[in-house]
Amino acid sequence: METSTAVQTQITPARIIETGMAFFSSKALLSAVKLGVFTSLGGNKKLSGKEIQQAIGLSDRAVYDFLDGLVSLGFLNRTGLLETAEYSNTEETELFLDKNKPSYVGGILEMANDRLFRFWADLDDALLTGRPQNELKRNGKSMFDELYSDPARLKQFIHAMSGISTGNYVAFANTFDFSPYQTLCDIGGAAGILSIQVAKHNPHMNCTSLDLPQVTPITNETIAAHGVTDKVKSGIINFFTDEFPKADIITMGMILHDWDLENKKMLIKKAYNALPEGGAFVAIESLIDDDRRKSTFGLMMSLNMLIEFGVAFDFTGADFESWAKEAGFKKVEIIHLAGPTSAAIAYK
């Protein structure tokens, strides 16, 4: 008689506890970005805990627990211990979280710290009521009303979106075949980063970035900073009331997920009407996988849209294809870009 030597896998609650308490780690990183920890260490500096404390104003009680917590999370390097310690950025935080570098992506984390972290505390209310839990709940103003009434917050939001989207737009500019096309119009283009990257990597393209009038100064500033004023222009549009201008390619970066189904379909139809035969409509989004099992970021972003807007939601590639074909598009393809983001492309 054989005796089984197989060891039964021990089930533990470790992953449950780790996920449930993940806001500890999240807030430590968000606070570090907000307070400028990684910027103070920019340029590959090595500083003691006391030197970082003086640079960013930490209390005596917080210094070592905070900094060593960031070490344990993998966001800081350290030699020595406590008073003898020297801290430095990791390769990732040096490149992406030093505010003085053009590769800085911390804008989205600053916004998460200042806005989203607090709103997500009310996710249970959002799930039960289906209503927004952001500024609208607190003072009756929608997220966009709040942003557009405060130039400083608007600029923070736009640069936050630019930081998180630049890698995706570079990937799109390098992956999509632009050779059959000459003109691109980016609807809701914010700082103009999508148009800028397409023009930089495809010199034959002429691009226009359109948004509301409050955004145009930021767009123009960014276009000039990238030295592409000859290839990228800005303009004004209200995409609810205005028709889209004619262009070979119409793009929308992280726009469709902000709206309910009726408005999603309306925007797709406007894009169809503006395109020539063979033209392309491109929606760059954190698409949910068609089986809705793997795209955690897309699903969590859709919950974020619930918190922000109530009726807004993220979607799958199959959803996009059905809406695009309903509008009249002939063919749809999905191109993965970077991280959780893809380009959903509909051809007229």
Side-chain angles (χ1 to χ4, degrees), residues 44-96:
N44 295 303
K45 292 190 189 76
K46 294 183 178 181
L47 298 178
S48 69
K50 290 296 184 184
E51 288 171 323
I52 296 172
Q53 177 184 15
Q54 291 168 3
I56 66 174
L58 296 175
S59 71
D60 289 337
R61 167 63 185 84
V63 176
Y64 296 110
D65 282 353
F66 182 43
L67 297 178
D68 291 340
L70 294 170
V71 170
S72 74
L73 290 168
F75 298 125
L76 289 179
N77 295 322
R78 190 195 74 202
T79 59
L81 183 65
L82 297 173
E83 286 79 6
T84 67
E86 281 192 332
Y87 297 89
S88 59
N89 283 330
T90 66
E91 286 187 59
E92 288 175 317
T93 56
E94 176 69 22
L95 180 62
F96 296 119

Side-chain angles (χ1 to χ4, degrees), residues 120 286-289 291-306 313-316 340:
W120 266 75
S286 298
L287 292 180
I288 299 169
D289 62 292
D291 201 35
R292 295 177 62 86
R293 289 180 180 273
K294 298 176 182 176
S295 302
T296 303
F297 185 84
L299 290 162
M300 294 302 103
M301 182 58 78
S302 199
L303 287 178
N304 190 63
M305 292 300 100
L306 165 62
F313 61 95
D314 285 68
F315 49 91
T316 68

